[in-house]
C-alpha cells in the first residue's frame, strides 16, 4: 500500500489526510499539539474554496455547516458607503462563512481507518535525499513514507529545511478575531445584521453573521485589523483598546465590541512569507515532499484566501497522486504539483499585497485616493464571483 505522512493537523493537514486515505493511501497524521482542536473563530469560504472542498469530499455535507455570506458593502467609519451592497452575479457556489469548530468536525469525520493520528510530535528533522525515501523526524523517531505532505503552518519546520530562502516576516498589522455567540449578540436591524466591512486610516473592521446552528450556538463573527505590531497586553486590556480605537465608528462596531468578552478574543500577528519558497514539490526516493497551505504561501488575510488556497492545494495534489505508483510516477506527480501551484499562489499573493496597501492607507490625501479607487478595486481583488481569485476550478 502507498504510504504518506502528513505533518500538521490543522485544516490543510486534515483535508490532505482524508483525501489521500479515501484514495487508499495509508496515512500517518502528525500533530505537534496534544490534541486536534479548532480555534474558536470562523472563516469565509469563497467559491474557489467551496469547489475545492466539494472536489475533495462530495459527500462532506459542506453546505450544511456554511451560512450564506451577505454582501454588506464597504463603509467609512462614519457609516457612509464607499461601495454599496449589491447582489452577487453569476452562477456557482456563493461565498459562505463557517465556524471552524464545524469545519474541523467535518474534516475529522472525513478520516477513515487508513489514517493514524499521532499527537505531541514536533518535527525537527527532514530527510529528502534523491537516493532514499523521504522522512521526517522528531529527534527520536523518523517517519518514512512515499509522500511527505508538509501542512505545518507558517512556521513549518519542513519548509525551513527544504526552502530556507522563504523567510517569515511581519506584515505591519495586528489582528483580532472573535465570535459573539447568539445569546450574547446585540439585536441588530436588518441593514446592520448583514455585516460588511469598514475601512479607516490604518484600521479595518469586518463582521458577518453565522448560521443559527454554527458550533451549536450561532452568533456573529468579527475581525479587526490595525496597523502596527501585535499588542503584548492581556486580552482584557487589548479588548479595552479596541473599544477605544473604534468608539466613534458606525453601528454595529461598538455594539459588537461591547458584547465581546476577553475570553472570546483571539489576537494574531499578521505574518507572511517573503519571498515565497522556490518550489512547492521536492522529488526524492519513491516520491517526495510537498508544501501546502501556510507552509507554502502564508500571506496577510486581507482577501480571506488562506484556507481556500490550502484546500485548492489539497485538491490539486489529490488529483495528481490519486493513481500514482511509488517511484518515477509519484516523483513526476510531485514535480507536476509544484508547477501547478506556484503560478496560482503567486498571483493571489500579489493581489493580497495590493489589498494591504489599500488597508494601510493613512493621511488625508492617501485616504481620498483610496476611497476614490475602491469601487474599481473591490470587484477585482476581494474574491467576488467573477474575479480571477474565485474563478479557480478543480483539476479534472
Amino acid at each position: 500500500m502507498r504510504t504518506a505522512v502528513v505533518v500538521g493537523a490543522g485544516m490543510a493537514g486534515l483535508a490532505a489526510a482524508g483525501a489521500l486515505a479515501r484514495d487508499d493511501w495509508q496515512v500517518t497524521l502528525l500533530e505537534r499539539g496534544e490534541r486536534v482542536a479548532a480555534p474558536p473563530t470562523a472563516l469565509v469560504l469563497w467559491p474557489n474554496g467551496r469547489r475545492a472542498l466539494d472536489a475533495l469530499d462530495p459527500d462532506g455535507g459542506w453546505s450544511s455547516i456554511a451560512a450564506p455570506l451577505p454582501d454588506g458593502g464597504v463603509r467609512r467609519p462614519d457609516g457612509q458607503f464607499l461601495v454599496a451592497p449589491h447582489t452577487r452575479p453569476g452562477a456557482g457556489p456563493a461565498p459562505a462563512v463557517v465556524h471552524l469548530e464545524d469545519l474541523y468536525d467535518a474534516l475529522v469525520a472525513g478520516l477513515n481507518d487508513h489514517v493514524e493520528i499521532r499527537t505531541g510530535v514536533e518535527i525537527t528533522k527532514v530527510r529528502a535525499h534523491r537516493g532514499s525515501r523521504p522522512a521526517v523526524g522528531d529527534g527520536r523517531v523518523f517517519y518514512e513514507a512515499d509522500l511527505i505532505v508538509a501542512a505545518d503552518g507558517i512556521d513549518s519546520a519542513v519548509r525551513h529545511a527544504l526552502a530556507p530562502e522563504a523567510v517569515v516576516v511581519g506584515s505591519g498589522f495586528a489582528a483580532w478575531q472573535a465570535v459573539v455567540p447568539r445569546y450574547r449578540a446585540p439585536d441588530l436591524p436588518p441593514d446592520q445584521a448583514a455585516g460588511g466591512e469598514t475601512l479607516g486610516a490604518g484600521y479595518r473592521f469586518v463582521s458577518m453573521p453565522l448560521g443559527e446552528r454554527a458550533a451549536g450556538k450561532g452568533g456573529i463573527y468579527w475581525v479587526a485589523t490595525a496597523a502596527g505590531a501585535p499588542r503584548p497586553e492581556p486580552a482584557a486590556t487589548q479588548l479595552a483598546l479596541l473599544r477605544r480605537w473604534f468608539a466613534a465608528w458606525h453601528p454595529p462596531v461598538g455594539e459588537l465590541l461591547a458584547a465581546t468578552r476577553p475570553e472570546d478574543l483571539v489576537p494574531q500577528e499578521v505574518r507572511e512569507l517573503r519571498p515565497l519558497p522556490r518550489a512547492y514539490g521536492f522529488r526524492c526516493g519513491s516520491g517526495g515532499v510537498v508544501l501546502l497551505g501556510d507552509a507554502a504561501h502564508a500571506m496577510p488575510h486581507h482577501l480571506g484566501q488562506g484556507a481556500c488556497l490550502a484546500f485548492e492545494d489539497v485538491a490539486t495534489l489529490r488529483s495528481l497522486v490519486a493513481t500514482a505508483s511509488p517511484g518515477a510516477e509519484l516523483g513526476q506527480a510531485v514535480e507536476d504539483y509544484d508547477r501547478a501551484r506556484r503560478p496560482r499562489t503567486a498571483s493571489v499573493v500579489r493581489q493580497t499585497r495590493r489589498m494591504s496597501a489599500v488597508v494601510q492607507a493613512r493621511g488625508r490625501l492617501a485616504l481620498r485616493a483610496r476611497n476614490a479607487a475602491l469601487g474599481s478595486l473591490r470587484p477585482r481583488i476581494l474574491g467576488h464571483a467573477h474575479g480571477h481569485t474565485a474563478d479557480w476550478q478543480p483539476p479534472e
Side-chain angles (χ1 to χ4, degrees):
M1 178 177 280
R2 300 173 298 173
T3 59
V5 168
V6 177
V7 184
M11 288 178 288
L14 289 169
L20 292 171
R22 285 189 289 276
D23 287 336
D24 295 324
W25 288 73
Q26 186 64 44
V27 181
T28 301
L29 178 59
L30 306 177
E31 167 57 30
R32 177 174 52 189
E34 294 302 323
R35 62 191 183 96
V36 177
T41 60
L43 63 82
V44 175
L45 289 173
W46 295 104
N48 53 311
R50 298 193 68 177
R51 292 188 193 100
L53 283 172
D54 285 337
L56 289 170
D57 186 4
D59 300 320
W62 309 111
S63 295
S64 66
I65 64 172
L69 179 65
D71 187 337
V74 183
R75 298 176 186 257
R76 298 191 326 191
D78 62 6
Q80 180 178 329
F81 276 111
L82 294 168
V83 180
H86 64 275
T87 303
R88 175 185 171 270
V97 60
V98 58
H99 198 290
L100 288 187
E101 290 180 14
D102 294 330
L103 181 59
Y104 270 62
D105 286 347
L107 291 170
V108 170
L111 306 179
N112 60 29
D113 57 6
H114 288 321
V115 180
E116 177 189 7
I117 302 177
R118 298 190 183 187
T119 58
V121 178
E122 183 168 1
I123 296 305
T124 58
K125 298 181 181 299
V126 181
R127 190 176 69 206
H129 308 304
R130 281 280 181 178
S132 59
R133 294 180 82 203
V136 292
D138 62 356
R140 297 171 299 167
V141 178
F142 262 102
Y143 300 88
E144 187 178 274
D146 299 310
L147 179 67
I148 304 291
V149 178
D152 48 345
I154 188 170
D155 295 310
S156 169
V158 180
R159 185 199 64 246
H160 181 71
L162 300 180
E165 71 282 353
V167 178
V168 179
V169 299
S171 298
F173 294 89
W176 297 263
Q177 303 177 63
V179 172
V180 180
R182 183 176 64 251
Y183 68 86
R184 229 193 306 134
D187 187 16
L188 303 176
D191 64 319
Q192 296 176 20
E197 65 179 298
T198 304
L199 292 176
Y203 295 87
R204 185 189 193 196
F205 193 94
V206 182
S207 66
M208 55 198 77
L210 296 169
E212 291 187 1
R213 296 188 300 275
K217 55 193 174 189
I220 301 173
Y221 169 56
W222 63 258
V223 183
T225 306
R231 306 293 303 197
E233 298 91 348
T237 304
Q238 294 190 46
L239 183 56
L241 283 171
L242 289 170
R243 289 169 177 167
R244 189 176 74 201
W245 291 342
F246 292 95
W249 287 38
H250 67 83
V253 175
E255 289 81 352
L256 291 174
L257 290 171
T260 302
R261 294 177 179 172
E263 60 267 26
D264 302 327
L265 200 64
V266 181
Q268 178 188 13
E269 180 184 8
V270 183
R271 300 184 296 160
E272 60 187 288
L273 293 178
R274 283 184 182 255
L276 295 176
R278 69 184 189 281
Y280 292 159
F282 303 85
R283 183 174 185 170
C284 61
S286 55
V289 182
V290 297
L291 308 178
L292 56 80
D294 280 351
H297 43 67
M299 67 189 79
H301 58 242
H302 302 310
L303 292 185
Q305 279 289 336
C308 295
L309 278 184
F311 295 139
E312 286 185 24
D313 293 340
V314 178
T316 302
L317 178 66
R318 182 191 185 187
S319 72
L320 292 169
V321 306
T323 60
S325 300
E329 194 174 7
L330 182 55
Q332 184 61 52
V334 168
E335 293 182 350
D336 291 343
Y337 169 80
D338 174 54
R339 283 191 289 269
R341 293 308 296 161
R342 271 192 298 133
R344 165 67 174 166
T345 56
S347 173
V348 176
V349 167
R350 283 195 299 270
Q351 294 180 64
T352 299
R353 289 174 181 167
R354 290 176 60 204
M355 187 60 193
S356 292
V358 171
V359 175
Q360 280 181 317
R362 305 178 80 172
R364 183 178 300 177
L365 293 178
L367 288 172
R368 186 179 299 168
R370 188 270 309 277
N371 295 345
L374 193 61
S376 62
L377 281 172
R378 190 167 188 260
R380 287 187 288 141
I381 69 175
L382 289 190
H384 281 211
H386 293 291
H388 171 70
T389 300
D391 273 351
W392 178 88
Q393 298 288 338
E396 296 294 334

